Amino acid sequence: MAVSLAALVVTAFWAMLPAYVPNNAAVLAGGGRPIDGGRTWDGRRVLGDGKTWRGTAAGTLAGTLLALVLNVLEPTLSGLVGFSLPTFPVAAGVGLALGAMLGDIGASFLKRRSGRQRGAAFPGLDQLDFVVGALVLGYVAAPAWFTATFTLPVLVIVLVMTPVLHVVTNVGAYLLGLKNEPW
């Protein structure tokens, strides 16, 4: 049975929601003690003030809770769209959310090593860092669920759709005065 492009896009977006939300939640709940404790390496901060324990915990919790809410909404929304949306085992929700946070933390480490300051653009990495982290940890946490949900077509859509969503939402936040830079 052939699956429509629309169904693949909706499935990809739905499956990635627990990974799309954590970094935004981390910004809202951020502040507090930086993960790197202010330490430097080669004269540069290891991560910077933007990566905090509180933000990481809040982002992971927000993504995990969203996965649980999506499970409750799934029967109704599956009926509306006319096909089954995936539900999230708790391990998958945690894996996607924590993986998104860890991917973003890893990108901050790479940015500092390349001499970029906090908020500086790093095309490609900025759009996909959290996706790679979420997909890797999602697979580790719930491999059977992951392989059933993230088929090759869904993965391709995630990798194409995410940078577009990232740019559109960041430009929108910049225009609304919520961000200092449009990336």
Side-chain angles (χ1 to χ4, degrees):
M1 178 175 144
V3 179
S4 75
L5 179 59
L8 289 171
V9 170
V10 169
T11 299
F13 183 75
W14 176 271
M16 285 300 292
L17 276 172
Y20 286 157
V21 167
N23 283 304
N24 298 313
V27 169
L28 295 174
R33 193 167 141 234
I35 293 171
D36 68 9
R39 288 184 285 284
T40 60
W41 183 16
D42 291 334
R44 297 183 203 118
R45 284 288 296 273
V46 174
L47 297 173
D49 289 336
K51 302 301 169 217
T52 66
W53 291 108
R54 182 180 352 168
T56 301
T60 302
L61 181 62
T64 302
L65 290 176
L66 177 59
L68 298 175
V69 168
L70 293 174
N71 285 344
V72 172
L73 298 175
E74 183 275 329
T76 301
L77 293 177
S78 287
L80 289 173
V81 298
F83 56 88
S84 293
L85 293 165
T87 56
F88 300 87
V90 173
V94 172
L96 290 168
L98 179 59
M101 297 304 302
L102 294 177
D104 193 57
I105 290 167
S108 288
F109 177 79
L110 293 174
K111 282 182 167 184
R112 299 303 90 78
R113 302 295 60 80
S114 69
R116 287 175 172 82
Q117 296 301 313
R118 180 177 176 195
F122 198 137
L125 185 68
D126 286 333
Q127 292 78 29
L128 294 174
D129 56 351
F130 72 96
V131 171
V132 172
L135 293 176
V136 168
L137 204 53
Y139 176 77
V140 169
W145 173 86
F146 183 92
T147 55
T149 302
F150 288 99
T151 61
L152 183 57
V154 169
L155 282 172
V156 169
I157 288 170
V158 165
L159 294 176
V160 171
M161 171 181 67
T162 301
V164 173
L165 287 172
H166 189 269
V167 169
V168 169
T169 56
N170 282 340
V171 168
Y174 174 75
L175 293 173
L176 292 170
L178 302 172
K179 288 189 62 145
N180 294 328
E181 60 279 322
W183 50 80

